[in-house]
Amino acid sequence: MTRFNALSHEDAHAILVHCCGSRRWAHRVATHRPYPDAASLLAAADEASYDLSQADLTEALSSEFPAELGHGAPYAALLALDAAHAEYERTFGHAFVICLAGHPPEERADQLLGAIRRRMTHEIDEERAISADELRRLAQARLADLMDRLPRLLDRAAPGDGLFAADFGLFSPVG
């Protein structure tokens, strides 16, 4: 946590915006440093997620990529998911977001396909609220991953180079 707190505002903002695509969210989380521990950081991120305006949510959702199935997924499942993603995006205007953190890899295909089918039946406002909550959960999982990886990444970075998304592999979808 000490190293995260010591990042420049620009570097902290740059990596946080990859946890949640809202610049306002990233600014708010970066500005409230220093955090005494990871739990405080996650609580602040949660609070910032709940305070997203509709414009902030639209910005964050526009930066998301559709959740994917892992390597080795059956071809039929990949085709079904591609078709479902296309229909979802036509209906709701943004990528389907879901946080599958905590689900074993072997369950993710069923969870993902089942969730997108269920959520296609929602009204736009209901789905937007669900998407906002999934985005909040994704940001939490991405922040936890970031806190685990940050010390190693900073050890590899040259002083004064700044941090970039490529340094982090930010972010393969958690779900």
Side-chain angles (χ1 to χ4, degrees):
M1 188 55 49
T2 301
R3 295 186 75 184
F4 175 73
N5 286 332
L7 291 173
S8 70
H9 180 79
E10 293 77 20
D11 283 344
H13 186 276
I15 60 174
L16 287 167
V17 80
H18 290 281
C19 295
C20 175
S22 164
R23 291 181 306 235
R24 185 171 155 260
W25 179 93
H27 175 77
R28 183 171 170 184
V29 174
T31 300
H32 285 96
R33 291 175 304 146
Y35 295 102
D37 52 40
S40 299
L41 168 62
L42 294 174
D46 245 10
E47 183 179 327
S49 293
Y50 287 121
D51 288 343
L52 291 176
S53 69
Q54 288 300 310
D56 296 329
L57 180 57
T58 297
E59 178 186 32
L61 289 170
S62 72
S63 70
E64 289 295 319
F65 295 98
E68 297 178 352
L69 298 177
H71 297 293
Y75 184 68
L78 294 172
L79 286 177
L81 185 59
D82 282 347
H85 277 306
E87 182 63 23
Y88 182 93
E89 288 185 28
R90 271 193 300 278
T91 302
F92 297 109
H94 59 82
F96 176 75
V97 292
I98 185 170
C99 182
L100 296 174
H103 290 281
E106 63 272 9
E107 291 179 7
R108 289 184 179 183
D110 289 339
Q111 294 289 325
L112 180 55
L113 288 167
I116 199 167
R117 286 181 185 129
R118 276 189 311 278
R119 289 171 54 188
M120 282 298 301
T121 65
H122 295 157
E123 296 295 323
I124 290 174
D125 290 342
E126 179 184 12
E127 181 55 25
R128 192 158 175 93
I130 292 168
S131 294
D133 192 53
E134 290 295 328
L135 188 66
R136 179 191 60 77
R137 293 177 60 224
L138 277 170
Q140 290 282 308
R142 290 170 177 165
L143 271 172
D145 182 56
L146 173 65
M147 291 300 105
D148 287 343
R149 295 188 312 156
L150 188 62
R152 291 184 304 278
L153 294 168
L154 290 174
D155 288 343
R156 289 188 319 195
D161 278 351
L163 299 171
F164 302 97
D167 296 323
F168 293 92
L170 294 174
F171 267 103
S172 54
V174 174

